[in-house]
Amino acid sequence: MAGLKEISWERFSKLPAAEKRPYLERQDGDGMPYHTLFAQQFDRALLERLCALANRIRFINKSKEGALYLKGVLAHKRAMLYFSQPSSRTFLSHLAACQILGITTGSVRDAATSSEFKGESREDSIRTFSSYFDMIIMRSPEQGLADKMAWELSNGDRPVPILNAGSGKDQHPTQALLDVYTLVRSFESKGGVDGRTVTFCGDLLRGRTVRSLSYLLTTFRDVKQIFVAPPELQVPEDVVAILKGKGVRYEISDDLRAAVRASDAVYMTRIQDEWDAAKGESSKIDTSRFKFGADELAILKPDAVIMHPLPRRDEISTCCDNDPRAMYWRQMRNGMWIRAALIASVFGFEREIMDCGY
Ligand code: NCD
């Protein structure tokens, strides 16, 4: 097994994502990630294993005895939640996932309360966390920082796994895992996810959840992807290149209604205006045709689902909230279970939990 100790940063950083994967795996050969940095680390088999483990943890946690067993699994581990960008769900669901597994946690959510405020670099901060914790769950506005830290820590004297909870405009792998878990559960008794059509709508240019989920969907058989956005916010070329390379069916569109009619899942996203080069730039874009409301609900297939990574603004009308096809609230809770599954797997406890007597 090649680890990050076996390769220079210069070489590693230039590899395409798929070729980086083996360097990020656990060293015992079970295929699970040690560092979780991007969606390309997951294939269909791994996704199935993680969904099965999430279901198992969910079930075990229902009884007090089971919950107490789970709390013992990683009671010897500590995790640092280092979020230097705003977060509600991703922070809380990782925290709850750690709590389910008995992991003790620490957190920094605002650089103003850490030594970064005194001028310490993010690199030095993360090195500091690795002295006290056994895993670093991090969100950063800086694309590539999680990768760099994974390499640095693996080559330092206290290697600890990094879990990317959102890196700039680039990737959000654990969000994509919970999105896939939600799709798998939604279509479990209806023939599965293969062959489905998924529409992404909103800010597809700067939404990192879109890039990560679009990739994970390519691991399913014959899933068509439709990208609906104003031209200024359409899906970036690197995402399209992956789909072309894998021969995945896709469509670029600005017609939400037509896409909704054809879709089994509609994945809405908010305008990511925090990335505007000039303040207020996004507000000049006409986004009025990229919102899901009563009219879209009326033409949505009876078995289809509406998804959103949240937070939402007005891109899904609240009139959809109690429709059985609105899956965005369930997505949040699914996030806690799939993150618990991932964290347990990173530490090598997949088999033990799957085989436990609860
Ligand atoms: C997303 C993010 O941070 O990328 N939120 C999340 O993690 N659930 C999407 C967003 O902020 O729009």
Side-chain angles (χ1 to χ4, degrees):
M1 286 282 106
L4 282 177
K5 255 177 156 17
E6 264 67 60
I7 186 166
S8 69
W9 170 248
E10 285 63 37
R11 271 194 55 218
F12 177 74
S13 58
K14 293 195 184 82
L15 290 178
E19 285 174 44
K20 283 183 177 164
R21 180 180 163 182
Y23 293 97
L24 304 172
E25 281 174 10
R26 283 176 46 77
Q27 294 292 292
D28 63 359
D30 81 345
M32 282 290 177
Y34 175 72
H35 297 295
T36 308
L37 303 179
F38 42 77
Q40 286 90 331
Q41 288 176 255
F42 299 94
D43 56 23
R44 180 75 181 263
L46 274 195
L47 293 176
E48 278 172 10
R49 279 166 63 186
L50 285 171
C51 290
L53 184 58
N55 283 341
R56 187 88 183 90
I57 291 173
R58 197 175 198 136
F59 175 80
I60 297 169
N61 203 61
K62 282 188 200 300
S63 71
K64 183 172 181 185
E65 295 71 28
L68 286 174
Y69 158 75
L70 287 172
K71 274 198 170 300
V73 171
L74 289 171
H76 56 307
K77 298 291 181 189
R78 289 185 298 277
M80 177 68 192
L81 293 121
Y82 173 50
F83 279 57
S84 51
Q85 258 187 320
S87 173
S88 302
R89 279 147 288 265
T90 307
F91 180 87
L92 291 173
S93 62
H94 275 108
L95 180 69
C98 287
Q99 289 169 344
I100 289 167
L101 298 167
I103 301 176
T104 314
T105 55
S107 66
V108 166
R109 302 196 65 176
D110 180 356
T113 66
S114 80
S115 283
E116 261 182 59
F117 195 64
K118 302 185 207 163
E120 185 168 61
S121 67
R122 290 192 175 131
E123 285 85 345
D124 285 4
S125 295
I126 292 164
R127 193 160 276 227
T128 304
F129 303 147
S130 76
S131 310
Y132 308 128
F133 294 93
D134 305 298
M135 165 179 263
I136 297 170
I137 301 167
M138 62 180 281
R139 165 171 285 195
S140 163
E142 215 176 301
Q143 179 174 336
L145 182 67
D147 303 33
K148 185 72 198 304
M149 286 306 102
W151 187 89
E152 293 274 356
L153 290 178
S154 284
N155 282 278
D157 53 7
R158 231 192 90 73
V160 303
I162 294 266
L163 205 153
N164 177 8
S167 51
K169 287 177 265 185
D170 187 34
Q171 286 260 359
H172 196 346
T174 64
Q175 176 71 42
L177 290 178
L178 80 86
D179 294 335
V180 160
Y181 183 46
T182 302
L183 286 167
V184 166
R185 285 177 69 83
S186 301
F187 295 114
E188 205 161 35
S189 57
K190 298 171 188 161
V193 178
D194 291 325
R196 302 276 174 185
T197 296
V198 178
T199 286
F200 292 92
C201 178
D203 189 342
L204 310 184
L205 179 67
R206 303 174 293 186
R208 55 194 171 195
T209 67
V210 174
R211 175 176 287 100
S212 294
L213 179 57
S214 170
Y215 180 81
L216 286 195
L217 290 176
T218 69
T219 68
F220 289 83
R221 223 172 323 109
D222 197 30
V223 169
K224 180 178 175 184
Q225 302 186 26
I226 306 179
F227 300 97
V228 180
E232 301 92 323
L233 300 175
Q234 255 304 351
V235 69
E237 201 36 58
D238 67 297
V239 175
V240 174
I242 289 177
L243 302 181
K244 281 185 183 154
K246 288 179 163 274
V248 169
R249 288 187 299 140
Y250 72 93
E251 204 178 299
I252 308 278
S253 163
D254 62 357
D255 186 347
L256 180 58
R257 299 260 168 93
V260 166
R261 276 194 196 90
S263 293
D264 301 293
V266 181
Y267 190 94
M268 300 298 297
T269 63
R270 80 179 161 88
I271 304 304
Q272 312 271 313
D273 47 15
E274 65 269 40
W275 298 108
D276 282 358
K279 211 173 158 41
E281 201 175 55
S282 297
S283 60
K284 300 194 185 93
I285 301 171
D286 179 10
T287 55
S288 55
R289 290 183 301 114
F290 306 94
K291 298 182 199 299
F292 196 104
D295 293 344
E296 288 70 26
L297 197 60
I299 55 171
L300 185 69
K301 288 184 194 174
D303 278 351
V305 293
I306 314 162
M307 295 171 67
H308 196 306
L310 302 177
R312 82 171 147 187
R313 288 177 182 167
D314 61 353
E315 58 279 347
I316 299 181
S317 160
T318 51
C319 77
C320 303
D321 287 3
N322 294 322
D323 190 280
R325 294 166 290 181
M327 218 42 77
Y328 28 100
W329 312 122
R330 294 213 202 137
Q331 257 172 287
M332 285 198 284
R333 190 153 171 90
N334 287 342
M336 177 176 78
W337 301 117
I338 200 83
R339 285 169 171 137
L342 176 66
I343 293 168
S345 302
V346 164
F347 284 116
F349 282 84
E350 177 197 12
R351 274 272 54 91
E352 181 183 312
I353 297 174
M354 287 305 284
D355 297 342
C356 79
Y358 293 96

